[in-house]
Amino acid sequence: MPFTVWGLTIAQALLMSGNILLVSISALVGQELAAHPALMTLPIACQFIGVICATLPAAHLMQRLGRKIGFVSGNLIGLLGTWVALQGLLQISLALFALGTFLIGIAIGVGQQYRFAALEACAQPLHARAISMVMAGGVLAAIIGPNLAILSQHWHQASPYAGAFYGLFGLYVLAMLLIMALPLPKPMPINHDAKVRSYKQLFAQPLLLAAVASGMIGYGIMVLIMTATPLAMNHHQHGFADTAHVIQWHVLGMFVPSFVTGSLIRRFTTRRVILWGCGALLLSVLVNLTGQGFWNYWWGLLLLGVGWNFTFIGATHLLTFSYLPAEKAKVQGINEFMVFSAAAVGSLFAGQGLVLLGWAWLNLFAIPWILLVAWLIWRLKEQPLGVKSEA
């Protein structure tokens, strides 16, 4: 595996550490700052809106200027967002804090291109493994993020959450220095004469429709339940340390399978791995419905993470078979836009959904969406895929 892929794996770990740190505290900060319960998850929703706003511009910018310029620019925006969010926390301003998480979301959206950059740095037979490796950087993030959230509680006297943003600032600086040192591929010349299909023509492919739906619903359901979990645990008298540990094991469930997901795809096909992911998501819902004890949350979120891993990595790999080289930025950009739009909806609905529906009905709401993904992937066997047999 090329050195660049390893470097992108570490950069992904640093980026995800910051993301997990935010997941651990943002809903709780929102609960403190919000004037209405419906606004509790506004900071997380703004983070995902930032991700959405970055997706299409980032894909096209990197096609023209290269990955390095794009990634460094994203890190600089993340550093600014960290400072703004800290000011919002210290000034007890939900609007300012949400603006900071929006800017951080832009940085995260740019960083989502790490896995596509890894594809460009290695040969086609290594693509599934390269995607898995970069996503496996989340294992390190699962250790750094929640522990940094716990340890930093005493770094600033004004707020138990303020210290986390000093740690987040340091993570983004390290990620930027690493990206600057990596020999990332230079931008490929754009062939303006190459035919590029319209979105209508692209989405007429059952393969692309299934891949995007798998990424959207897998990510959206994961974010919905994950975002609601700290609030539900707090409501049922679980301490912050217990919540952070549940989130930590959830993130391990998200990324530890990455060490084998690529091999599973090569051996059992992408379609089957995504179906296994749908099964894990359904099991997560069933566990969440059995009670509100610590171990219910622990097992529920662990299975939720595994389900996300299989659906998201499988969807990313399936996506690569749906476009021609000239269509790469267009398809990757619209995929990221739609996937993180679903995540934003999930995060925004989590707080209000928990208040209006309760924990049990919030989980039941996820079931038909998971079954829809399973059906779209299952029916691919009846379609002429026109792709390599491993898909």
Side-chain angles (χ1 to χ4, degrees), residues 6 8 29 38 46 50 72 77 81 89 93 123 134 166 194 235 239 262 264 268 297 308 317 335 337 369:
W6 288 98
L8 288 166
V29 172
C46 285
V72 170
I77 294 172
L89 186 59
S93 169
V134 172
Y166 293 114
H235 178 72
L264 291 174
F268 295 105
Y297 290 114
W308 172 86
H317 189 240
N335 176 73
F337 177 82
W369 297 102

Side-chain angles (χ1 to χ4, degrees), residues 232-233 236 238 287-297 359-360:
M233 291 187 69
H236 289 100
H238 294 282
V287 170
N288 288 337
L289 292 172
T290 60
Q292 288 81 41
F294 172 82
W295 290 108
N296 296 94
Y297 290 114
W359 178 244

Side-chain angles (χ1 to χ4, degrees), residues 20 54 189:
I20 294 160

Side-chain angles (χ1 to χ4, degrees), residues 148-229:
L148 186 58
I150 295 171
L151 293 173
S152 61
Q153 285 183 291
H154 307 293
W155 290 3
H156 200 292
Q157 294 182 351
S159 169
Y161 306 119
F165 290 91
Y166 293 114
L168 185 60
F169 192 91
L171 292 175
Y172 282 159
V173 169
L174 289 175
M176 183 170 65
L177 293 175
L178 176 58
I179 289 296
M180 291 173 67
L182 285 179
L184 295 172
K186 297 185 181 298
M188 298 293 292
I190 301 173
N191 182 3
H192 296 284
D193 296 325
K195 183 179 178 181
V196 177
R197 288 172 288 178
S198 67
Y199 286 122
K200 182 178 179 180
Q201 291 171 316
L202 288 166
F203 278 97
Q205 304 173 90
L207 180 66
L208 179 59
L209 184 63
V212 173
S214 177
M216 284 181 65
I217 295 175
Y219 217 126
I221 293 302
M222 186 275 290
V223 169
L224 172 70
I225 297 176
M226 177 190 68
T227 304
T229 294

